[in-house]
Amino acid sequence: MRKVRFVEPVKVYRMIKDELDAAYFDVMSKGELIDRSHLRSFEENLASYVGTKYAVGLNSGYDALHMSLRAAGIGAGDEVILPAHTFVATCSAAVIVNATPVLVDVEKDFGIDVDKIEASITPRTKAIIAVHLSGYMADMPRIMRIAEKHNLVVIEDACQSLGSSISGKMAGSIGLTGCWSFYPFKILGGYGDGGAITTSDPEVANFARRMRYNGEDRQTGEYHGHGFTCLLDNLQAAFLDVKLRHLPAWIERRKAIAEMYRRGLSDLPDLLLPHYHKPGFDHVYQNYTLRAKQGDEFSEYLKKNGIEVLTQFRKPYYRHEALKLVDRGFPETEAISREVCSLPMNVEISVEEIEYVIRTARSFYGR
Ligand SMILES: Cc1ncc(COP(=O)(O)O)c(C=O)c1O
């Protein structure tokens, strides 16, 4: 049986082997491991790509969220508004700084339902974490208007959406910080864990630079607080710098694949495809996440036919008892959790593989 993998890192390695090998040998031969030139180069290039003054390399997307909340002074007694449908780390970062997460349902396009935000604001609300899922941004213009009205900090969890934008404004350049994950399967994936924040606020950048290194100012040796050890490895930064150069072309490839899926599947009435129509919103398709009325039946059929798909998340995070979160009823999130299915979407996939995925999905519906 044919197999279509969700991602194939080995194929990507083969595509840019010379550049990755050169980066590896450069780091190794110079012995540059922690907080060295490759990290600084990647930070500069990331900031310039996103359109912020600074980028600070961290160990993960989780750390990016955590550092952002701390930099904004969020802590005990504060409430943080965030979507009910997201990766659990968005919420855990709020909990870990002792704030109270206040969950809000999402829209059909997976972004936080902006119409429901204001009803969740209380005198204790300090921040909104806007999550840009799968390569498509939450409605930042409306979120920023609400935040300004209520004097709230906005943090962008852009871990899944590097390169996306609204009317030319890049994800990660609008809120106080943009939070990035370079987990291997992300649109810009490293070879291990990695993350960063982007920001144009010098104090936030300084705070993160110190806190990622046990609170130490590396120039003066002064400790500015009890910190963490969570900086991006120099070697990972060297690899990410190589891959960042390819990102614009790779995003075009992802859009072309999404278009193939659209053409192949849009006549199937039980599938809701991720092609939305908010003017100015640019989808970069980190994931091609559709909704199938038949839920598990559909995704299991694809799996049985050798196609790796992701069904994140069949059980929403707020229903995991140990997390002790309040389920206030999130109908769209519940529907998404039953129906969600991400098809293979990566730059290394072949046209034959895409056609096979389309054929298989169609055959499920007897077409
Ligand atoms: C939306 C979202 N937020 C946060 C994270 C956390 O990133 P990391 O796994 O690098 O900690 C991820 C990725 O896993 C994510 O998809």
Side-chain angles (χ1 to χ4, degrees), residues 21-218:
D21 287 354
Y24 171 80
F25 285 117
D26 193 45
V27 170
M28 288 300 162
S29 58
K30 290 177 178 156
E32 297 203 332
L33 303 179
I34 301 287
D35 199 6
R36 294 304 164 109
S37 62
H38 304 86
L39 176 60
R40 279 189 281 277
S41 162
F42 174 62
E43 287 174 338
E44 268 171 35
N45 291 329
L46 179 66
S48 132
Y49 181 70
V50 171
T52 52
K53 287 195 184 134
Y54 315 99
V56 181
L58 300 168
N59 194 47
S60 66
Y62 177 87
D63 290 320
L65 290 159
H66 177 205
M67 285 301 127
S68 298
L69 289 164
R70 284 192 184 273
I74 311 287
D78 298 334
E79 291 176 0
V80 178
I81 290 176
L82 47 91
H85 178 66
T86 179
F87 182 55
V88 64
T90 315
C91 179
S92 298
V95 173
I96 222 70
V97 299
N98 295 316
T100 304
V102 176
L103 279 52
V104 170
D105 206 3
V106 292
E107 291 185 62
K108 287 211 167 1
D109 66 8
F110 298 67
I112 190 165
D113 189 338
V114 182
D115 288 334
K116 296 190 173 141
I117 290 181
E118 278 198 295
S120 305
I121 293 175
T122 75
R124 293 150 83 104
T125 309
K126 288 283 155 52
I128 302 172
I129 304 182
V131 182
H132 311 321
L133 278 186
S134 297
Y136 191 76
M137 289 174 69
D139 196 335
M140 288 304 288
R142 290 186 64 208
I143 292 170
M144 293 308 288
R145 277 200 292 278
I146 292 175
E148 271 156 33
K149 183 170 152 201
H150 296 274
N151 198 21
L152 306 177
V153 170
V154 176
I155 290 164
E156 291 177 74
D157 179 342
C159 287
Q160 296 191 7
S161 291
L162 184 57
S164 64
S165 58
I166 301 172
S167 305
K169 264 301 247 167
M170 298 289 278
S173 71
I174 303 170
L176 179 68
T177 63
C179 301
W180 306 103
S181 167
F182 308 121
Y183 183 78
F185 299 168
K186 298 293 191 217
I187 197 161
L188 181 69
Y191 292 87
D193 276 320
I197 60 167
T198 45
T199 183
S200 289
D201 185 319
E203 283 182 21
V204 170
N206 254 339
F207 177 88
R209 268 194 213 107
R210 291 167 180 164
M211 288 300 140
R212 72 180 175 177
Y213 208 83
N214 297 285
E216 184 184 341
D217 182 322
R218 302 271 284 152

